[in-house]
Amino acid sequence: MLLCWLLFIPFIGGAACWLVGRGDRGGSAPRLIAFASMLLVFIPALWLWATGDYSLAGLGGGSPQWQREISASWIAPFGIDFHLAIDGLSVIMVLLASVLGMLAVACSWSQVTERVGMYHMNLMWTLGGVIGIFLAIDLFLYFFFWELMLIPMYFLIALWGHGEYERAANVRAAVKFFIYTQASGLLMLASILGLVFTHYAQTGVLTFDYNALLETQLGGSLGMVLMLGFFIAFAVKLPAVPFHGWLADAQANSPSSGAVDLSGILVKTAAYGFLRLALPLFPESSAAFAPIAMALGVISVYYGAVMAFAQTDMKRLISYASISHMGFVLIGLYAGTLLALQGVMIQVVASAISTAALFILSGQLYERMGTRDMRQLGGLFGRLGALPGFALVFVVATLGMPATANFVGEFLILFGAFGDWPWVVVIASGGMILAAVYALYLMHQVYWGTPTSDDTIARMSAREYVIMMTLVVITLIVGLFPQTVLSVSQTSMTEVSHWFATGLSASSAR
């Protein structure tokens, strides 16, 4: 029942937001319901984090060690079940989704003033679809939630973007987001069906069950084709170059809370998909494809960093910086070692928090200044209260300064990949230098320089201050005490590294 609680609370809360919002002109009731819904997901997820058994005892090469599992027959003739389960990997992602969900509701408190109930319904249903992805271990159910989260996110971008005068740009960005993700999702569906039919040909059992499909023998050209369907779907959502075309427009035209969801958790469903599906289901094909995937990761690191430096819009700079960060994630995924995969987990959490924080700060700045164009800003340090100080903290985190979570993630990825891919690590490390360039460029353009006035601009409210302090605390806790994440993810990452090593051996033997 706990898994059903985690899954259905956002959908129930979203429906309640819409119903209550129809008669609440002020919009306070939908906001409170949405925040309470995410809190009711956060509390049991935190309890599972604190009380779960994530030891390596009994770990083998089979299915993951599920902490909780529930299964009921759904579409029996096709072998489709309503099958949910949670392990260390899922717990981390659900907890991250609930935290960012609460912060998204809080940061939109003063920014969304029209159709408040409908807005929070779409926000909650987007998060509900994301949580469904993290819990579903029937591949049909997984695909169902993968597609479900796209629709409410489309409306968040199209209807609640920045300003009525940008409505046409909002719709174009929403359409681009939908086309990219829908087309890549159909490729994943084709690969799911190919995997299911291959399993049926081998065993005579028609099933979409993840645990059963792990035992499917796949290799050669068939395995590579099916794996590429998953890879493209996840590379689009990550995103990795050259599948990144939707991200900057979608994030630049989203409301701040929508950008928080996009950068903080929606794109992280791709990293989860690689860890849960692409690498374990296709170990041999993934190992053979690793050089190409890592090359795309290196390209993403440099492309994102260079494009970030070329931007004049704060949100677009942050978007391209996140592409650079996800390049490191792609390198860590296809390095396949336990250390690199543990680095991926830290980097996913760190990037979600720091990028979400920068988007929230850009929204707060936009409320005060009416622009995100960095050419029109500057000299704001000392005029905005604590806001520039918080910006400096997360800019420093973005460039991977020690004591921040970002440093731990990048260090573990590069250190874990160095043994097998030394030149990839050497080349990718240059991206960390470029990160310092665009991060300091952001601070200089927006906050430093000669003030245009001595007037004090509206300081941060208590709500805004609490939001940012929460993100600072999480960044420092994970940066100074990374074992809080690593101990929970160790079993899951050990299992993934086992599958990858198995595929590497099989690929080398051919």
Side-chain angles (χ1 to χ4, degrees):
M1 286 301 296
L2 182 59
L3 298 183
C4 292
W5 178 279
L6 292 173
L7 176 62
F8 291 121
I9 281 295
F11 292 107
I12 296 171
C17 288
W18 176 66
L19 291 172
V20 172
R22 297 173 66 185
D24 183 6
R25 294 185 178 181
S28 58
R31 295 185 178 100
L32 291 172
I33 292 172
F35 189 88
S37 298
M38 285 295 99
L39 183 63
L40 290 175
V41 174
F42 171 77
I43 292 172
L46 184 63
W47 181 79
L48 285 171
W49 178 299
T51 62
D53 178 15
Y54 305 106
S55 66
L56 295 175
L59 183 66
S63 301
Q65 288 184 303
W66 306 118
Q67 297 294 308
R68 298 291 181 94
E69 189 172 359
I70 183 173
S71 181
S73 180
W74 183 17
I75 310 176
F78 298 104
I80 299 172
D81 297 328
F82 181 80
H83 195 176
L84 308 177
I86 195 166
D87 64 350
L89 171 59
S90 304
V91 165
I92 292 171
M93 301 306 293
V94 171
L95 193 60
L96 182 63
S98 63
V99 169
L100 292 178
M102 288 188 288
L103 295 177
V105 173
C107 78
S108 68
W109 211 276
S110 61
Q111 295 176 1
V112 177
T113 57
E114 297 182 356
R115 300 185 295 270
V116 178
M118 179 67 75
Y119 171 85
H120 285 91
M121 183 191 76
N122 283 284
L123 183 63
M124 289 297 100
W125 284 16
T126 299
L127 291 166
V130 168
I131 292 171
I133 287 172
F134 297 148
L135 297 179
I137 56 170
D138 179 280
L139 264 62
F140 182 85
L141 188 63
Y142 178 94
F143 177 76
F144 173 81
F145 287 119
W146 182 271
E147 294 294 295
L148 178 64
M149 70 177 178
L150 305 182
I151 300 171
M153 193 67 227
Y154 169 88
F155 289 114
L156 286 177
I157 299 170
L159 301 180
W160 287 277
H162 281 287
E164 291 295 327
Y165 66 95
E166 295 181 0
R167 179 60 55 82
N170 296 338
V171 172
R172 285 196 300 271
V175 170
K176 184 183 291 188
F177 161 77
F178 192 84
I179 291 174
Y180 265 82
T181 50
Q182 177 72 5
S184 61
L186 292 176
L187 286 177
M188 182 171 66
L189 176 61
S191 290
I192 289 173
L193 294 175
L195 177 62
V196 169
F197 292 144
T198 302
H199 180 81
Y200 177 75
Q202 293 177 3
T203 65
V205 177
L206 184 63
T207 182
F208 285 78
D209 181 69
Y210 173 76
N211 296 327
L213 294 175
L214 280 173
E215 305 302 323
T216 308
Q217 300 299 314
L218 283 168
S221 58
L222 175 61
M224 183 63 71
V225 169
L226 297 181
M227 184 278 296
L228 285 175
F230 283 90
F231 178 87
I232 293 173
F234 299 144
V236 167
K237 189 63 69 71
L238 194 61
V241 177
F243 308 104
H244 64 287
W246 63 273
L247 183 70
D249 288 339
Q251 291 184 337
N253 289 279
S254 295
S256 294
S257 55
V260 168
D261 280 345
L262 267 174
S263 64
I265 200 64
L266 257 73
V267 300
K268 305 308 183 285
T269 59
Y272 175 86
F274 278 116
L275 291 168
R276 179 67 78 210
L277 300 180
L279 298 182
L281 289 172
F282 308 97
E284 183 179 341
S285 300
S286 296
F289 190 72
I292 298 175
M294 297 186 83
L296 292 178
V298 172
I299 293 170
S300 298
V301 167
Y302 279 89
Y303 177 86
V306 171
M307 289 298 294
F309 182 71
Q311 302 306 307
T312 58
D313 184 294
M314 283 182 63
K315 273 193 169 183
R316 296 184 74 88
L317 185 152
I318 300 166
S319 297
Y320 281 108
S322 70
I323 293 175
S324 184
H325 296 156
M326 291 303 101
F328 285 105
V329 168
L330 197 58
I331 291 170
L333 286 166
Y334 282 87
T337 65
L338 176 60
L339 197 59
L341 293 172
Q342 286 283 60
V344 167
M345 284 308 308
I346 295 288
Q347 182 70 358
V348 164
V349 174
S351 176
I353 297 300
S354 61
T355 306
L358 290 173
F359 275 121
I360 293 172
L361 287 167
S362 71
Q364 294 173 357
L365 191 63
Y366 181 81
E367 284 188 77
R368 290 160 172 79
M369 306 301 296
T371 182
R372 302 190 309 263
D373 190 337
M374 294 184 291
R375 295 168 297 184
Q376 301 179 29
L377 301 172
L380 297 178
F381 220 104
R383 300 176 59 202
L384 287 168
L387 195 152
F390 282 119
L392 181 59
V393 170
F394 289 106
V395 162
V396 165
T398 297
L399 60 85
M401 190 65 68
T404 65
N406 304 66
F407 169 78
V408 177
E410 291 178 359
F411 176 80
L412 290 178
I413 287 172
L414 296 176
F415 194 70
F418 186 80
D420 295 328
W421 305 91
W423 285 109
V424 170
V425 171
V426 169
I427 296 171
S429 297
M432 301 176 72
I433 300 173
L434 293 179
V437 173
Y438 66 71
L440 295 177
Y441 169 74
L442 171 63
M443 283 301 300
H444 176 76
Q445 289 291 104
V446 177
Y447 299 104
W448 296 340
T450 305
T452 56
S453 170
D454 293 330
D455 296 337
T456 299
I457 304 170
R459 296 180 180 273
M460 297 180 73
S461 66
R463 171 181 56 84
E464 293 172 330
Y465 194 87
V466 170
I467 291 171
M468 300 316 302
M469 279 304 302
T470 301
L471 293 167
V472 168
V473 169
I474 295 173
T475 297
L476 293 178
I477 287 176
V478 179
L480 295 173
F481 308 100
Q483 203 61 31
T484 54
V485 174
L486 298 178
S487 61
V488 177
S489 63
Q490 183 176 7
T491 303
S492 300
M493 296 305 99
T494 301
E495 192 69 38
V496 175
S497 67
H498 164 82
W499 282 110
F500 193 86
T502 301
L504 193 61
S505 299
S507 179
S508 301
R510 283 182 176 271

